[in-house]
Amino acid sequence: MKSAHLADAADQEVEPVFPERLERAVYGLYVTHAVQLACAHGVFDALLPAPAPSTVVAEKLGLDRETLHRILVVLGGAGLLESAVDGWVVPADLRPFVDSGAEDYLGGFVTHLVESTAGRMGEVAGFLERGKPDGTRPFDALYHDEAATERFLQAMWDLSHGVSAELAALSELDTATHLVDVGGASGPFAVAALRAAPSLTATVFDLPAVGPAVARTRERFGLAGRLGFTPGDFFRDRLPEGDRIAFGYILSDWADGTCAELLAAARRACRPGGLVLIMERLFDDDGVGPLATAAMNLSMHVETEGRHRSAAEYVELLTAAGFHGCEVRRGTRDKHLVLGRA
Ligand SMILES: C[S@@+](CC[C@H](N)C(=O)[O-])C[C@H]1O[C@@H](n2cnc3c(N)ncnc32)[C@H](O)[C@@H]1O
């Protein structure tokens, strides 16, 4: 028999503690960590071929049963796994993003968020109270050792490679001969562009620390003779010449005045009739959403000197640098193309 106290409680309407979107915001901290741990320990990969209970996954991967169970329950609560009779199932729409062998895999990006960005978010409180101090240039800190370099370049690859095929398709590469990918990292966009246009060649122009990663990409994709690397500092060195000059997630690292200098350098490097390709997350015209752009804009405040912009702001920068015929070509994901003609 129920006690009077329990009976009263059962008769009352159960109110959620927070409205759902507030609940998701607050507990999102745990979900992000659960996603990162599941990626890093191969948990999603283990569940992709067939559903399995947490005990089986723990045994297979040599993980602690109780801890894995709790992580999987968080993922289940967040709708990122489904619970079936024979165990946990990865929903079909998430599979391309959690499969470590897939082009759209987000593991490197989430690891960067957890291991690097999250630790620095505490700095925002200081900025809020005292303003942002003048700091060192962002990439001096990022490339402080080989392991940090590797982690950052992997995050960039994971963030950019999946979306690059559709951006390459929007870049009029059939009429291009040579692409210069400024700050092209280990080559996520260059690889997609070279795949899309068989007669194209490409040069990644980036800091010297990035050279070995481009060499590995060249080898991995069999691009000897087509994918080159020019080490350099875009604040000091001339950009190589080409008829497509790409800036993927570059201008959002820098303040408007620096972007103006970089686009002026691109104007000098771009052959007549060529295009400059700015590939970025974009703010909606009202400067508020989408959420991913707004979140990364806060990240940019801590990690870089830059910010995210609307398409109109990029067009203004391009026009001021002497490019004409500017167009915005939106992709289906969160990185879009704003182009200008030389
Ligand atoms: C945010 S990442 C973008 C990588 C890639 N373009 C993409 O879309 O994923 C910025 C890139 O700019 C490069 N970079 C930063 N400062 C640079 C400089 N002064 N000269 C050349 N490259 C630089 C970094 O090494 C890094 O590869």
Side-chain angles (χ1 to χ4, degrees):
M1 209 178 103
K2 280 190 220 165
S3 73
H5 173 73
L6 284 179
D8 285 354
D11 291 343
Q12 282 168 15
E13 282 235 335
V14 181
E15 287 290 330
V17 180
F18 303 133
E20 192 185 333
R21 62 190 191 287
L22 196 55
E23 184 184 68
R24 284 188 179 275
V26 170
Y27 295 106
L29 178 73
Y30 294 88
V31 182
T32 307
H33 281 272
V35 169
Q36 192 271 325
L37 288 166
C39 286
H41 291 278
V43 175
F44 289 118
D45 284 337
L47 290 173
L48 284 169
S54 63
T55 47
V56 171
V57 179
E59 176 137 0
K60 184 173 171 199
L61 300 176
L63 301 173
D64 179 68
R65 277 183 176 203
E66 177 63 19
T67 311
L68 181 64
H69 167 72
R70 291 182 190 227
I71 287 171
L72 294 180
V73 170
V74 169
L75 295 173
L80 303 179
L81 287 179
E82 286 158 7
S83 171
V85 273
D86 38 3
W88 293 102
V89 181
V90 183
D93 60 328
L94 303 189
R95 289 175 169 249
F97 305 99
V98 298
D99 175 349
S100 67
E103 293 213 325
D104 287 335
Y105 181 58
L106 53 56
F109 175 58
V110 178
T111 296
H112 176 70
L113 289 186
V114 166
E115 291 186 358
S116 172
T117 309
R120 300 194 61 187
M121 289 308 283
E123 294 172 43
V124 175
F127 293 2
L128 205 52
E129 288 158 22
R130 293 179 292 280
K132 183 174 168 175
D134 291 338
T136 52
R137 290 234 144 149
F139 293 91
D140 298 349
L142 264 176
Y143 293 146
H144 63 279
D145 66 37
E146 242 178 71
T149 304
E150 277 297 304
R151 274 201 307 277
F152 175 71
L153 292 175
Q154 187 60 50
M156 286 301 111
W157 182 276
D158 290 351
L159 203 55
S160 293
H161 188 56
V163 73
S164 286
E166 70 173 20
L167 294 171
L170 297 172
S171 300
E172 301 181 18
L173 295 176
D174 48 337
T175 54
T177 58
H178 190 69
L179 163 75
V180 178
D181 196 358
V182 183
S186 56
F189 178 68
V191 167
L194 292 171
R195 277 176 165 177
S199 57
L200 188 72
T201 55
T203 299
V204 168
F205 176 90
D206 208 309
L207 295 167
V210 176
V214 176
R216 285 195 294 277
T217 300
R218 187 186 302 122
E219 175 122 334
R220 180 173 155 211
F221 291 91
L223 292 171
R226 294 186 69 204
L227 176 62
F229 178 72
T230 300
D233 176 343
F234 49 49
F235 296 120
R236 286 204 297 247
D237 303 313
R238 249 188 119 77
L239 298 180
E241 258 191 38
D243 52 10
R244 294 293 177 277
I245 313 288
F247 291 91
Y249 289 148
I250 300 298
L251 301 184
S252 51
D253 288 339
W254 306 103
D256 288 1
T258 311
C259 292
E261 284 170 30
L262 291 174
L263 290 175
R267 185 72 187 78
R268 291 189 290 275
C270 194
R271 294 180 189 139
L275 305 181
V276 66
L277 311 169
I278 298 176
M279 292 170 286
E280 286 286 353
R281 294 176 191 278
L282 296 175
F283 265 121
D284 297 337
D285 291 342
D286 65 4
V288 178
L291 174 62
T293 303
M296 295 312 290
N297 190 48
L298 186 55
S299 220
M300 292 292 156
H301 193 47
V302 179
E303 295 185 81
T304 75
E305 297 178 10
R307 66 186 177 93
H308 282 304
R309 299 177 173 85
S310 65
E313 288 178 290
Y314 282 117
V315 168
E316 204 177 313
L317 283 167
L318 281 170
T319 307
F323 292 96
H324 63 90
C326 300
E327 282 178 50
V328 184
R329 296 185 178 170
R330 289 185 188 267
T332 57
R333 322 241 202 121
D334 50 8
K335 198 175 188 182
H336 307 281
L337 173 66
V338 185
L339 64 78
R341 295 172 195 279

